[in-house]
Amino acid sequence: MSDLVLVEQQGAVLEIQINRPDKMNALTDAMYADLVAAFKKAEQSKEINVVYLRSSGPHFSAGNDLADFLETEFNLESNVVQFLLTLAQMTKPVVAAVNGAAVGIGLTMLLHCDIVFASADVKLSVPFIKLGLTPEGGSSQLLAARCGDLKANEWLLTGRNILANEAENTGLVNQVFENVDTLWDEAGALAQKMSKSSQDVLVASKLLLKGEQVSDVVQLIKKEATIFGQRLQSQEAKAAFDAFLNR
Ligand code: COA
């Protein structure tokens, strides 16, 4: 595992930290492979009860690395899709701490987390439409399920930013903290507290909370990925990526 994804066990919590702050934690194919390995480790370990997901630096994640996207083949076996499928099928609770920008998959991954804390400077967006792309990560349905269909329509069809107040008021995040250090402290403390419950009861509770939806979400992620893969090949998407990378 590279140092772009840090993994540290603290008691019965596995802390997974996205760690590419110089590129705003934009995610590459190799980083998705690391994330898959980290989440699978948490899922399979008898010692881990809860995952705590966070990032280093001022931004949670600028989403997919657009340069990497232009160079890497995309299909259902791609590490990014495998990451989403792995996260969606986690049976152990995942607590996420989000600060600064959370763009694209930086937001959609949160839809598979069980508790999401944010800092007051959070700025979330799903700007697929601005990039010639379509919703991914289950967001075409899960965003509406979490926040209501009118908000999901607005966010996905305009790609506009969602600031802390709106995120909290619409239930996109559980709670907002004044600064990022408090955010990380509180999210870490919550993960620790939750991890004191037995693994059996945590897993059984999450299973009840998710109900039957996991298999539907898996199918949705694959369906979205198929359309997303076609859009990635479009001139519209390539031009949008070029425009960002050559600003
Ligand atoms: N892919 C590749 N590189 C990215 C990136 C991405 N998604 N997001 C940021 N970077 C790189 C920039 O190219 C820049 O690299 P450089 O220092 O070598 O020039 C570096 O990260 C810093 O980014 P910058 O835009 O200067 O930081 P900022 O603080 O002004 O803005 C963001 C932060 C997140 C708001 C802005 O980087 C952004 O909008 N990123 C693109 C988000 C996006 O469209 N993601 C895809 C969603 S599908």
Side-chain angles (χ1 to χ4, degrees), residues 49-223:
N49 291 353
V50 174
V51 176
Y52 169 31
L53 174 66
R54 55 164 284 192
S55 296
S56 47
H59 297 295
F60 180 69
S61 175
N64 280 296
D65 184 302
L66 296 175
D68 198 62
F69 242 173
L70 286 170
E71 290 161 13
T72 312
E73 195 188 337
F74 179 93
N75 56 47
L76 292 187
E77 299 308 315
S78 297
N79 287 324
V80 54
V81 181
Q82 293 307 310
F83 163 61
L84 289 164
L85 292 172
T86 301
L87 184 56
Q89 294 176 92
M90 285 294 292
T91 65
K92 296 175 182 175
V94 179
V95 174
V98 56
N99 63 298
V103 186
I105 195 168
L107 187 164
T108 63
M109 72 171 83
L110 302 173
L111 300 171
H112 306 285
C113 298
D114 302 286
I115 295 188
V116 183
F117 281 177
S119 53
D121 68 347
V122 82
K123 195 165 71 171
L124 304 119
S125 63
V126 270
F128 305 114
I129 203 146
K130 295 179 179 173
L131 298 166
L133 299 172
T134 44
E136 45 81 322
S139 60
S140 63
Q141 303 292 319
L142 294 181
L143 204 48
R146 197 161 271 195
C147 304
D149 59 346
L150 290 176
K151 281 293 178 188
N153 295 346
E154 187 183 338
W155 296 337
L156 285 165
L157 295 176
T158 69
R160 76 161 169 82
N161 287 328
I162 307 155
L163 303 183
N165 270 351
E166 186 179 16
E168 191 174 30
N169 291 339
T170 53
L172 186 55
V173 304
N174 291 76
Q175 196 175 341
V176 173
F177 296 90
E178 205 42 50
N179 64 61
V180 71
D181 289 326
T182 313
L183 163 72
W184 288 333
D185 287 349
E186 294 288 341
L190 180 74
Q192 282 298 333
K193 192 172 173 188
M194 288 167 64
S195 76
K196 306 295 182 230
S197 295
S198 76
Q199 193 173 119
D200 286 349
V201 80
L202 285 166
V203 169
S205 299
K206 179 160 172 171
L207 188 62
L208 286 166
L209 287 162
K210 291 273 172 194
E212 303 301 312
Q213 67 170 271
V214 174
S215 57
D216 290 347
V217 169
V218 164
Q219 291 315 314
L220 177 63
I221 289 171
K222 290 180 181 172
K223 180 178 159 191

Side-chain angles (χ1 to χ4, degrees), residues 14 16 37-45 48 51 90 92:
L14 195 71
I16 301 175
F39 276 95
K40 285 196 169 157
K41 175 185 161 129
E43 183 68 4
Q44 287 157 9
S45 169
I48 305 295
V51 176
M90 285 294 292
K92 296 175 182 175

